[in-house]
Amino acid sequence: MHKPILIIGACGQIGTELTIELRNKYGSDKVIASDIREGSEALMKSGPFELLDATNYAAIEDVVMHYEIDEVYLMAAMLSATAEKFPMRAWNLNMNSLFNVLNLAKDRKISKVFWPSSIAVFGPNTPKENTPQNTIMEPSTVYGISKQSGERWCEYYFKKYGVDVRSVRYPGLISWKTMPGGGTTDYAVEIYHKALEKGAYECFLAENTKLPMMYMDDAIRATINLMDSPAEHIKVRSSYNLGSMSFTPKEIAKSIQKHLPGFQISYAPDFRQEIADSWPSSIDDREAREQWGWEPKFDLDQTTAEMLKNLRK
Ligand code: VAH
């Protein structure tokens, strides 16, 4: 019988789907969803929910004790584009939420933690193609700096206090159930909505901006697979590179045009271009594949088919 799980940031792009999947797997009453504000009607009806500020240690501790939580998925964060507009708010949310959860684990009030990192931990002088697990990491964004710092703290709490914290460096994630919030890779979600609504999309990144991307179903499966793996298989306690596909705005437009021949894309790069240019183009995720059996299932055309099919409903 699985012990209760708490998802902090359950209303976000990943949190929403993680909550649904974990409730399907363990039962709704075993998965407590929480966020700073209420979520979709579907999410609110699907099981227990708590309003929770991820930067408030005492509030998290209250929920953990009340529901006898054993595992925490900390999905609350301010993403790359928004973090550039509010650096100190981003640092406060992204770091203090992590310290709150790591300290609960250090004090043995919970036994396992998932925390998302990102390809944003890499910077302009990181090798761009097949970026390895261990390489130059000089992130040039507030979000990337917070994720790199978070990885260092996760590894520290594992080595110093034996905290079982696990993490993956998510690429850009594509999903239809929830809109993403404030990311640089959000174009890869918006484009499907605009293709169906208007038959056209003005992309805020240049046509040849190649970025690592992943369909949400793959990301959720990887997350749960990592958390279910025996601790002794987990050799990386900062955060695992996690890859599946890479593409440019031009390539995703071509994939859409196979279904919507009249679809038109135009380009108007904005401040997010500089963020995207600082990130890798493709990821080497051999450690995740070798240590806990990671294997992606969705390529670009399969992602496009799934997105258009579900958004049309
Ligand atoms: C962002 N979607 O754009 C997030 C992600 C790799 C990108 O971290 O900020």
Side-chain angles (χ1 to χ4, degrees), residues 13 79-81 117-120 143 170-173 180 182-186 212 279:
Q13 186 194 16
L79 298 185
S80 59
S117 184
S118 161
I119 58 160
Y143 174 70
Y170 288 121
L173 298 181
T184 298
T185 58
D186 294 1
W279 291 348

Side-chain angles (χ1 to χ4, degrees), residues 215-235:
Y215 187 54
M216 184 63 79
D217 287 19
D218 271 343
I220 299 300
R221 187 167 46 81
T223 306
I224 295 174
N225 182 340
L226 173 61
M227 289 296 274
D228 282 350
S229 296
E232 56 274 15
H233 292 183
I234 311 298
K235 305 285 187 281

Side-chain angles (χ1 to χ4, degrees), residues 118-129:
S118 161
I119 58 160
V121 294
F122 299 113
N125 55 4
T126 301
K128 279 209 175 301
E129 289 295 344

Side-chain angles (χ1 to χ4, degrees), residues 239-292:
S239 185
Y240 280 93
N241 276 6
L242 192 73
S244 78
M245 56 183 159
S246 294
F247 54 74
T248 65
K250 190 174 181 179
E251 289 167 334
I252 190 173
K254 279 195 181 351
S255 178
I256 291 171
Q257 284 159 350
K258 293 175 186 172
H259 299 258
L260 302 166
F263 172 65
Q264 294 294 318
I265 185 168
S266 57
Y267 302 96
D270 66 13
F271 75 100
R272 289 167 285 192
Q273 185 64 45
E274 187 181 356
I275 296 173
D277 288 343
S278 74
W279 291 348
S281 299
S282 61
I283 297 291
D284 175 345
D285 58 359
R286 71 185 66 190
E287 287 81 1
R289 292 170 190 256
E290 291 164 3
Q291 294 175 18
W292 44 276

